Amino acid sequence: AQSVAQPEDQVNVAEGNPLTVKCTYSVSGNPYLFWYVQYPNRGLQFLLKYITGDNLVKGSYGFEAEFNKSQTSFHLKKPSALVSDSALYFCAVVSSNTGKLIFGQGTTLQVKP
Amino acid sequence: ETGVTQSPTHLIKTRGQQVTLRCSSQSGHNTVSWYQQALGQGPQFIFQYYREEENGRGNFPPRFSGLQFPNYSSELNVNALELDDSALYLCASSRFHGAVEQYFGPGTRLTVT
């Protein structure tokens, strides 16, 4: 069965410092991986995706993610965090059979001034 | 913001009642997926509609049903509401069945008392 794990419920970083939000996956076949962000009382906003190609994927708002096949990971990164990055982040994988998104439990990112 | 809209924004219902949630897909998209996001959880796939037929279903009971209309808009119906149905219901549209990118609406917050 396909699954996604986000091992950290919350990540705290200081503004200006680099941030990493971790994600590992388990899929059969080629993985299609996504990161979404959710602000309070809002829907999901797409940040970036990995389908194929370069392992380093660049996305919206300065975020990037590194696909690591050997470690089955797709960690979200940003070189310099902003207070406005504080939100709930979801990693997801697409099920190749149904096209449905399978989400992790989410990681709350708290960026402090 | 995506072009996916959902109505209503918020809804309060009593246990045992029935509810209908609505979703308009982004222009040019013919596939709609529905997700349930309980508080503190990642979204869970309910089902997907393509060409007005259900095309894939998650682990939800039959009292969760849906429709898709010729203009590709969709409804989610839940009968015999239970307290655990309280959640944010997200609709996502995609360009075609099998497309890996899904675009989310803002969601409908359902509270069952």
Side-chain angles (χ1 to χ4, degrees):
Chain A
Q2 296 174 311
S3 64
V4 172
Q6 294 181 243
E8 303 155 316
D9 289 336
Q10 182 158 329
V11 170
N12 298 308
V13 298
E15 187 175 31
N17 283 359
L19 70 87
T20 298
V21 183
K22 295 180 180 178
C23 171
T24 59
Y25 65 89
S26 174
V27 301
S28 54
N30 294 323
Y32 300 142
L33 297 159
F34 297 79
W35 276 101
Y36 287 86
V37 61
Q38 186 175 39
Y39 294 95
N41 300 313
R42 301 286 294 276
L44 298 176
Q45 295 181 29
F46 170 80
L47 279 180
L48 50 79
K49 68 179 185 287
Y50 173 82
I51 305 297
T52 186
D54 290 341
N55 290 343
L56 185 62
V57 178
K58 294 189 181 296
S60 307
Y61 313 118
F63 284 93
E64 57 190 27
E66 186 170 10
F67 171 67
N68 188 316
K69 188 173 183 178
S70 63
Q71 297 185 3
T72 62
S73 66
F74 189 56
H75 300 332
L76 181 70
K77 300 181 179 183
K78 188 173 183 181
S80 179
L82 301 173
V83 172
S84 58
D85 292 330
S86 299
L88 182 57
Y89 290 80
F90 289 100
C91 181
V93 64
V94 167
S95 168
S96 58
N97 294 331
T98 65
K100 72 177 183 181
L101 281 164
I102 300 169
F103 288 87
Q105 288 291 92
T107 298
T108 298
L109 174 64
Q110 187 80 5
V111 181
K112 297 184 178 179
Chain B
E1 296 290 333
T2 70
V4 180
T5 60
Q6 293 185 243
S7 63
T9 305
H10 297 89
L11 201 55
I12 300 174
K13 289 287 189 177
T14 303
R15 188 171 52 184
Q17 287 187 317
Q18 178 266 343
V19 69
T20 298
L21 310 182
R22 295 176 175 83
C23 171
S24 292
S25 60
Q26 186 164 312
S27 177
H29 289 189
N30 64 16
T31 301
V32 173
S33 301
W34 286 91
Y35 294 82
Q36 180 196 64
Q37 185 181 9
L39 194 63
Q41 303 291 319
Q44 299 288 319
F45 175 75
I46 303 175
F47 43 54
Q48 182 181 85
Y49 275 83
Y50 169 66
R51 290 187 175 179
E52 303 177 48
E53 292 191 357
E54 186 179 293
N55 180 56
R57 188 178 184 94
N59 188 26
F60 282 82
R63 60 189 185 83
F64 284 77
S65 63
L67 287 171
Q68 186 179 33
F69 300 98
N71 67 353
Y72 306 127
S73 66
S74 177
E75 288 182 354
L76 164 65
N77 299 291
V78 187
N79 293 322
L81 283 167
E82 301 177 359
L83 297 179
D84 286 348
D85 295 334
S86 296
L88 180 68
Y89 287 86
L90 297 164
C91 166
S93 73
S94 48
R95 196 177 301 274
F96 52 88
H97 167 58
V100 296
E101 293 192 43
Q102 298 183 25
Y103 299 81
F104 284 83
T108 293
R109 173 73 63 185
L110 172 65
T111 301
V112 182
T113 62

